[in-house]
Amino acid sequence: DYLTSLKGGYWFTFVLFMLFSIYAIIAYIMDMFSVNKNIKALVLSTLAIIGHIINTHYYDSPNLLLNLLSIKHILYYACFFVFGVISKMYYNLFEKIINNDWAITIIVLVFAILYNIPYNIPISLFGFLGIPLVYKIFSYYSALFNEKTKVGRSLSYIGKNTLQIYFLLNYINCGDIARYFNSTLPLIGVIFTFLLSIIVVMLCLFIQKLIMVSKPIYVAIFGPIKKIL
């Protein structure tokens, strides 16, 4: 299972590493030729879109090398990675759009319309629409999420331990229970999934503390122990 694109459930860190590596090479080459910001954004967007198009015609290949490199997932998530890169490059413009009530209203309406029409809308489109909405929520309620509040400190602690949670999460499989509630009782399913997520995260953090009893094992699995722990 670890030789497939999914890497035994740990595909995300590998794919993120590959995307960072590919981006670093492309950015280095463009910097060598003093390519301006607009051209960089155009090149990155074009490559990401081409990759996404290729992915729509790509199926799990029996080719061992393609599976080892998780090419399918790299092609699919390249658009989201590039979206983040370009948002940072044009952060002032991104923030201006996010803070524009009309822009957010349009995004919400488009999201709601696409969600309710009886057609197969690509899930990636909901992802692109959801990113600015999530950012807007955290930005709007920034006072609640800063580290001076209990909620903010809790989220900050979880954020600093996401790698540990991610690795341990693969061994705590509650997906079938959540899917059952989401398919039979959608509203209750959302609430139940949220509560279940909190419990699972707390369990992962608890298991992490248990592993810390043996520092050599902890370091071998998660790397150097940081002061935040």
Side-chain angles (χ1 to χ4, degrees), residues 5-149:
S5 291
L6 292 173
K7 300 288 178 294
Y10 295 117
W11 60 270
F12 178 78
T13 46
F14 177 79
V15 170
L16 188 59
F17 169 77
M18 292 294 289
L19 286 170
F20 266 115
S21 301
I22 294 169
Y23 167 68
I25 294 170
I26 295 173
Y28 178 76
I29 293 173
M30 288 194 289
D31 286 341
M32 283 179 59
F33 293 95
S34 301
V35 177
N36 67 49
K37 183 170 70 172
N38 294 331
I39 299 299
K40 282 182 181 179
L42 180 62
V43 170
L44 291 171
S45 299
T46 302
L47 291 175
I49 291 170
I50 291 173
H52 202 71
I53 292 172
I54 293 173
N55 182 65
T56 60
H57 303 287
Y58 179 86
Y59 301 94
D60 283 333
S61 170
N63 187 304
L64 181 61
L65 180 60
L66 293 179
N67 284 329
L68 283 173
L69 295 175
S70 296
I71 297 299
K72 180 178 179 66
H73 290 83
I74 290 172
L75 292 174
Y76 181 84
Y77 287 100
C79 279
F80 296 102
F81 183 87
V82 169
F83 182 86
V85 171
I86 293 176
S87 295
K88 185 177 180 180
M89 290 170 62
Y90 297 91
Y91 182 74
N92 289 336
L93 176 60
F94 177 75
E95 193 172 37
K96 187 179 293 186
I97 294 172
I98 294 299
N99 291 327
N100 186 295
D101 290 338
W102 281 107
I104 290 298
T105 300
I106 291 171
I107 292 173
V108 171
L109 288 175
V110 171
F111 190 100
I113 292 169
L114 292 178
Y115 185 80
N116 287 285
I117 61 176
Y119 297 103
N120 291 324
I121 305 299
I123 192 70
S124 56
L125 183 55
F126 290 108
F128 283 116
L129 293 171
I131 291 171
L133 293 179
V134 172
Y135 186 92
K136 176 64 177 180
I137 291 171
F138 277 89
S139 176
Y140 189 82
Y141 294 103
S142 58
L144 175 64
F145 296 122
N146 67 49
E147 293 199 31
K148 294 180 180 179
T149 66

